[in-house]
Amino acid sequence: MFDRSDYKSFDLTSYLAKTEIFIVPRSNVTPSNITATHKELTYYLQADGLEIDLPVSFLPKLSYSAQQYWYLLPLGELRLLELTVYLPINTNDVDLEESRIAAIKSALTWHKQLSLQGVGSSTNTANVLIVDIQLMNKNAVNNNSFGAQSDKDSYIAKPPMTSIAHSFGASYFTKELAWDINNETPLLQVFSAQDWQNILTTTQTPNDLWRFLDYHRQQLQKSMVSDTPSFDSEQALLAEFMNSAMLFTRAIETDNALIKAGLQDKPNAALVTMSLAQKSRNATAQLYLQHMQQAAVLWSELSEQMNKWAPQQPINKAEVNISSYPLGLQQLLNESLFSRHELIRTLYNHPKQTPAMIESGYVIHQHSYESLGRHYLLIFYGKSADAKHNRALIKPNFAKIAQDVATRLPLAELHHVIVLGIDFIAEQGETYIDIDTWIEPVTAMTPKERRLTKQLQRMSQQQAQASTGSQKSSKDKLPEIKLNINIPARKKS
């Protein structure tokens, strides 16, 4: 049995008064609990943080710590260097700025040396430096750079510390550090610790974070070429990005592809409304953004809940699908802000169904608006014991259901089918949601397999139409011919 406290609680009735585009959860989403979603990045971490030593030519008297992290995100590699510089609390502004420039130049030199070895030089790699300036009590400061590990440990263990809020902007790199930037070395994108935290808080998802980093890199390169700063601060650039139509570009591309594939009849109404609001700078655009961020938090929490009960070390891997492994959780977290919004909106629409549908259960197909090949099948369990979609009947057949959807879905790009079995539980005035999960990886069909599958589907439809027509046309019974169609199972890679 699952502990009820582990279920996610929703105020479903309050949602009924809202428009279909809005997502208004019961719990308040504040910067502090949005920050908790930063741990999503840890699911993409390829190795534990590596402590490194920076070139000492720029750091003769600075105490610092530097950690390198490597994340394999859905859209590319993120190589992150976190650099913390420790200074006396009475450091004046001039010395503080000199120390900051020295720290950045040291990191740039380290980055250039690493790039010459081919590390992080791929066009699909984002190289990021996070600079944190910590002011410490005078008695806690060691005036020498870190040497032995014991010296470092004794130094860091002495609080208190005050983090200095600072920002850069494009002009900082076109003027102060222009000599360090050239076309031969992959660009190192630099952020303050405060700006980086705000970027993570605002973008929410790995893919939207990656898109902002790409936009930031483009603007830096533009500034270097024109010698004219294209943005005043990282926060101003972030606000510009989040309030632009660029936030919906991928979703619109996916939406058009779904229509072309015949999986949708018309564009997604919510996507049209929200993207037009962004494009026209409508006053509701900021509200839509807040709703997407709220939905992103809820989807993150639900994803962790769905992954929580999966065995981490299965005895027989052949009997356990990918949802038992971190890659399964990644498939759920790979969704963008808008894609998460649509998935959460589908859940919140459940109480609006007819009592008969809620009692018997029903099925909804939903698509990822981030990856065309990720398809969701949401099965809302029926309440009655003899319901067609009863949990006890449906859950044991998840694998078969997923494979059947993978076979019949006419989408060449299909790579994963995700089956969600959803149960709403009302108890003591609260509504809880429990979700069973099955994630089925799909091998792409060959052109011949797709052609044969579509032919079999047409024959099946024609048979059904012919059978219906014959029953209405005449009382005379003609000899009955049964056509059994077996669709071949998909090949596994």
Side-chain angles (χ1 to χ4, degrees), residues 35-47:
T35 302
T37 62
H38 295 178
K39 62 183 177 182
E40 285 191 24
L41 282 181
T42 63
Y43 298 118
Y44 300 89
L45 187 63
Q46 299 303 297

Side-chain angles (χ1 to χ4, degrees), residues 312-378:
Q312 297 303 312
Q313 293 181 341
I315 297 176
N316 185 352
K317 293 185 179 181
E319 297 177 358
V320 182
N321 81 327
I322 195 172
S323 61
S324 302
Y325 300 93
L327 287 177
L329 180 57
Q330 284 185 11
Q331 284 298 322
L332 299 171
L333 296 178
N334 285 354
E335 301 297 355
S336 63
L337 284 172
F338 180 77
S339 201
R340 294 186 187 197
H341 176 275
E342 290 303 278
L343 289 162
I344 293 296
R345 185 162 70 103
T346 303
L347 297 178
Y348 269 78
N349 279 333
H350 173 72
K352 301 176 71 171
Q353 307 302 329
T354 64
M357 286 185 64
I358 293 176
E359 190 68 19
S360 63
Y362 57 96
V363 176
I364 290 181
H365 286 263
Q366 183 60 278
H367 313 283
S368 166
Y369 283 87
E370 174 60 33
S371 176
L372 180 61
R374 190 181 303 117
H375 184 84
Y376 289 85
L377 186 70
L378 292 85

Side-chain angles (χ1 to χ4, degrees), residues 229-302:
S230 60
F231 60 94
D232 294 329
S233 69
E234 284 69 30
Q235 292 309 310
L237 188 66
L238 177 63
E240 179 181 307
F241 172 79
M242 298 301 294
N243 289 285
S244 71
M246 291 181 291
L247 200 62
F248 298 99
T249 299
R250 178 57 184 166
I252 293 173
E253 292 173 352
T254 304
D255 199 48
N256 290 335
L258 291 170
I259 295 173
K260 185 177 180 180
L263 299 179
Q264 283 184 190
D265 296 329
K266 56 184 179 180
N268 182 301
L271 178 58
V272 172
T273 301
M274 297 168 80
S275 60
L276 286 178
Q278 287 282 67
K279 188 175 182 179
S280 62
R281 305 290 182 176
N282 190 289
T284 58
Q286 190 63 30
L287 190 58
Y288 291 150
L289 175 58
Q290 293 173 2
H291 294 153
M292 286 193 294
Q293 290 173 326
Q294 291 171 338
V297 173
L298 290 176
W299 182 252
S300 179
E301 293 175 352
L302 287 174

Side-chain angles (χ1 to χ4, degrees), residues 211-223:
R211 292 189 182 99
F212 171 72
L213 289 176
D214 187 54
Y215 182 62
H216 177 264
R217 181 171 56 246
Q218 292 175 14
Q219 293 303 309
L220 273 181
Q221 292 170 336
K222 177 181 176 182
S223 300

Side-chain angles (χ1 to χ4, degrees), residues 105 170 249 277 471:
K105 287 183 176 180
T249 299
Q471 292 177 4

